Amino acid sequence: MIPVARRGTFAALIISVALMPLQPAFAASPEPVKAEHGMVVTAQHLASDVGVEVLKKGGNAVDAAVAVGYALAVVYPTAGNIGGGGFMTIRLKDGKTTFLDFRERAPMASTKTMYLDDKGEIVKGASTAGYLAVGVPGSVMGFETAREKYGTLSREDLLAPAIRFAKDGFVLDQGDVASLQNGAKKLSKDKAAAAIFLKPDGKTFSIGETLVQPELAASLSSISEKGPDAFYKGAIADDIVKASAATGGILAKADFEQYTVRELKPVTCNYRGYEIASSPPPSSGGVIICEILNVLEGYPLSYLGYGSAETVHAMVEAMRHAYVDRNSALGDPDFVENPVEKLTDKAYAKEIREKINPFKAGVSKELMPKGMGESTETTHYSIVDNDGNAVAVTYTLNGSFGAGVVAPGTGILLNNEMDDFTSKPGSPNLYGLVQGEANAIAPKKTPLSSMSPTIISKDGKPFMVIGSPGGARIITITLEAIINVIDHGMSIQEAIDAPRIHHQWLPDKVYMEPFALSSDTLKLLTEMGHDVQIDASWPIWGQAAGILVGGKNLAEIEEGGGARYNGAMDSRAASGAARGY
């Protein structure tokens, strides 16, 4: 019987589900795209085509990843970028794995309290809009570092498609137009941005029209000719610094000149015999995915069943405990000591399981650490080449179209990544994350991220490449795709398309997409004390991109008759595509 205090909540929840219009994202999933030689999955079909063409020319997965990254900066401006930053997880054909951190950095003039007023309260919008919100971009240096160390083709070859799309333009489809319409209000506030992404009369572009970006073409051409120095030591940096100084920002030329990429060891763990390689700090993604998987390994999820109350309860409680650790203990490894070994230890997972009541929801406030009071518009792409090299890239402007500003003359949209820092311990950021001192602002520091570009191996061979945008939900979106394949036997497309749940410690709520859970499951979870909320804000649930090797699902892989590569772009993505050859 439902407790009296919760009957109203449960009834309202069921009614809201019943009245929710059907969404096309949850129709039966299509078959994954199949290929034998290479696979590229991105959030914009033109960028996917670019990646495949690079592979056909003899480039490897890293070459394709670099070309795709630059192409997305042109054809997917809401998140693709050279004015932001991100992470790249690489697994080479010999089994070696590595990780490139080209995340944005805080300017040297940054201070811990730069977004607080004289009363110590957060100034609304200061960390999300305008030049004060901009971190030092890392994408250009990241792509060139990847190409030089692990690629095979020239910089000119890899930038050529992006330059062509910027110079000659590309035809806008429905997804492109919807994205520009969603960002129109933000973009209209900046003269240089409005001149690119809005018509002279202030209206948005229509389906079938062509978007041309000549200034971005010039910037990309300069990078192609001169390398990263064109961005970090030349006219591009000068233009960005000038625009920043004119509008209250704190970026300096030295911030650009001193930017470096870090090559780090991926976080690794084993889940039911599968080897996970994912993002280490300054990303929380790999650590927290491994922590949650370690906890869930103690539960027979395949027996309990997808979407059952027992499975969801175990997932929620594992997420609750892991996000406490994420939000309180992790930060830039150059500034804080990250307890990675502890958090990814199976003994620690066992301690967490022993604290989980199988019949009752936990209470997040009871887990409050001492000392405490990633927009939807990130993008992820996955690539595997003919030799078995695999690359997972997640990069971002943070919020949709970043800070909404373009330095005049550059054509480059700039990020609002400074919001990923803890502006004030105990206060939520853009994604509702309540974080602590480990992620406080400091000069040249990298903000904590949830981005989780992940590569999974089995028996020494690549098995799965996966990742997603989605702000704080990137971790759970990526996690659920992994579980859906390994525990629930879904195809890679079904695993990505399946409705999702999310819990991030605070606020103490279970968020679910419409129709993620049955009414019976909702009833049982409510009786256990969970506060389940339907969240139909589609972009925040991300657009995952994945590849499964050897078959579309585990059954096909075990039978040995599946296609070598099986690519899946989230059905939530209007313009994305998996392309193979």
Side-chain angles (χ1 to χ4, degrees):
M1 184 175 185
I2 303 171
V4 173
R6 293 194 172 264
R7 286 178 188 166
T9 301
F10 179 68
L13 188 62
I14 296 303
I15 290 171
S16 65
V17 171
L19 296 178
M20 189 76 65
L22 287 173
Q23 300 290 340
F26 302 136
S29 291
E31 284 288 294
V33 173
K34 301 178 186 298
E36 294 301 320
H37 300 290
M39 182 66 68
V40 179
V41 189
T42 87
Q44 217 286 346
H45 60 99
L46 295 173
S48 298
D49 292 338
V50 166
V52 170
E53 286 306 308
V54 169
L55 295 181
K56 286 181 177 179
K57 287 180 181 178
N60 65 17
V62 175
D63 292 316
V66 172
V68 165
Y70 281 121
L72 286 169
V74 182
V75 301
Y76 195 63
T78 186
N81 71 84
I82 59 171
F87 301 130
M88 181 182 294
T89 304
I90 301 170
R91 185 189 191 278
L92 300 175
K93 60 184 178 182
D94 63 4
K96 176 188 175 182
T97 59
T98 191
F99 177 84
L100 298 180
D101 165 21
F102 54 95
R103 179 91 156 131
E104 301 90 333
R105 311 269 194 269
M108 287 185 285
S110 301
T111 66
K112 183 178 177 180
T113 58
M114 62 188 286
Y115 298 119
L116 305 182
D117 61 21
D118 55 8
K119 295 180 181 179
E121 298 300 322
I122 294 175
V123 178
K124 187 177 180 180
S127 66
T128 57
Y131 281 89
L132 193 61
V134 180
V136 184
S139 293
V140 172
M141 191 71 80
F143 292 148
E144 183 62 9
T145 300
R147 187 196 68 80
E148 286 186 338
K149 294 199 72 171
Y150 301 105
T152 63
L153 300 183
S154 71
R155 184 173 59 247
E156 292 81 2
D157 284 340
L158 301 183
L159 270 152
I163 294 170
R164 184 177 68 252
F165 283 132
K167 183 179 178 180
D168 299 337
F170 67 99
V171 177
L172 300 169
D173 67 15
Q174 182 177 358
D176 302 322
V177 169
S179 174
L180 291 171
Q181 288 174 340
N182 289 336
K185 184 177 180 181
K186 174 188 281 190
L187 296 168
S188 68
K189 296 178 182 179
D190 181 76
K191 185 176 180 180
I196 299 168
F197 299 109
L198 299 175
K199 294 180 180 180
D201 60 4
K203 294 183 179 179
T204 56
F205 288 90
S206 300
I207 297 170
E209 292 186 314
T210 300
L211 177 63
V212 181
Q213 302 171 72
E215 291 179 340
L216 181 56
S219 292
L220 291 168
S221 295
S222 181
I223 295 167
S224 176
E225 180 183 347
K226 303 173 185 175
D229 282 358
F231 187 93
Y232 293 93
K233 297 180 180 179
I236 295 173
D238 290 334
D239 288 342
I240 294 173
V241 169
K242 180 181 177 181
S244 175
T247 53
I250 57 174
L251 290 167
K253 186 68 174 291
D255 290 319
F256 287 80
E257 293 171 338
Q258 295 182 26
Y259 184 89
T260 57
V261 172
R262 286 183 288 200
E263 184 162 11
L264 304 168
K265 181 181 177 182
V267 166
T268 59
C269 59
N270 184 292
Y271 180 67
R272 306 194 197 280
Y274 294 85
E275 292 293 332
I276 316 291
S278 192
S279 49
S283 175
S284 62
V287 177
I288 301 307
I289 284 174
C290 283
E291 182 176 344
I292 295 172
L293 287 174
N294 284 342
V295 173
L296 294 178
E297 196 171 40
Y299 297 92
L301 298 188
S302 60
Y303 172 78
L304 296 174
Y306 171 80
S308 70
E310 294 91 341
T311 293
V312 174
H313 176 66
M315 290 172 63
V316 166
E317 295 307 318
M319 291 173 186
R320 185 196 309 276
H321 282 268
Y323 269 84
V324 175
D325 293 331
R326 181 218 183 271
N327 298 347
S328 61
L330 299 178
D332 186 333
D334 287 350
F335 289 79
V336 299
E337 190 70 31
N338 288 283
V340 174
E341 280 193 30
K342 174 188 174 183
L343 299 185
T344 57
D345 191 327
K346 291 190 183 293
Y348 181 63
K350 183 174 182 290
E351 291 177 19
I352 292 175
R353 279 196 301 273
E354 290 171 349
K355 297 175 183 176
I356 295 173
N357 185 326
F359 308 109
K360 186 177 179 182
V363 179
S364 289
K365 287 185 177 180
E366 293 178 358
L367 303 179
M368 182 74 72
K370 295 179 180 178
M372 284 190 69
E374 241 133 317
S375 163
T376 61
E377 294 308 339
T378 298
T379 190
H380 176 86
Y381 52 98
S382 297
I383 301 174
V384 181
D385 65 25
N386 190 49
D387 291 331
N389 299 296
V391 179
V393 179
T394 312
Y395 77 148
T396 185
L397 289 169
N398 197 30
S400 178
F401 298 98
V405 294
V406 171
T410 68
I412 298 170
L413 276 162
L414 296 168
N415 68 85
N416 59 349
E417 207 60 68
M418 293 295 287
D419 186 67
D420 268 6
F421 281 113
T422 304
S423 294
K424 180 181 179 181
S427 296
N429 71 356
L430 184 63
Y431 305 112
L433 284 172
V434 177
Q435 304 177 99
E437 289 289 341
N439 191 38
I441 302 169
K444 299 180 73 173
K445 188 176 182 181
T446 299
L448 187 64
S449 171
S450 295
M451 292 187 287
S452 309
T454 300
I455 300 174
I456 303 172
S457 306
K458 183 71 159 55
D459 299 328
K461 299 177 181 179
F463 170 76
M464 185 177 181
V465 186
I466 189 67
S468 180
R473 305 182 191 200
I474 290 173
I475 293 168
T476 52
I477 292 168
T478 305
L479 169 91
E480 287 170 61
I482 295 169
I483 291 172
N484 287 346
V485 167
I486 294 175
D487 288 303
H488 301 306
M490 295 185 192
S491 74
I492 182 65
Q493 187 71 60
E494 291 166 340
I496 285 172
D497 288 348
R500 300 161 180 153
I501 63 159
H502 173 76
H503 196 291
Q504 61 184 44
W505 174 51
L506 290 177
D508 194 351
K509 298 179 186 297
V510 180
Y511 294 102
M512 59 171 269
E513 283 186 287
F515 313 110
L517 303 173
S518 70
S519 57
D520 288 340
T521 296
L522 288 170
K523 176 178 181 292
L524 291 169
L525 291 170
T526 302
E527 289 174 338
M528 296 168 85
H530 291 289
D531 182 359
V532 185
Q533 303 285 319
I534 296 170
D535 187 348
S537 54
W538 295 101
I540 204 166
W541 288 103
Q543 299 170 353
I547 300 169
L548 201 61
V549 180
K552 67 178 182 180
N553 55 27
L554 277 182
E556 196 170 87
I557 291 171
E558 289 168 359
E559 290 170 2
R564 185 181 181 198
Y565 296 137
N566 300 263
M569 186 65 218
D570 204 318
S571 293
R572 299 166 183 80
S575 295
R579 297 278 199 255
Y581 82 104

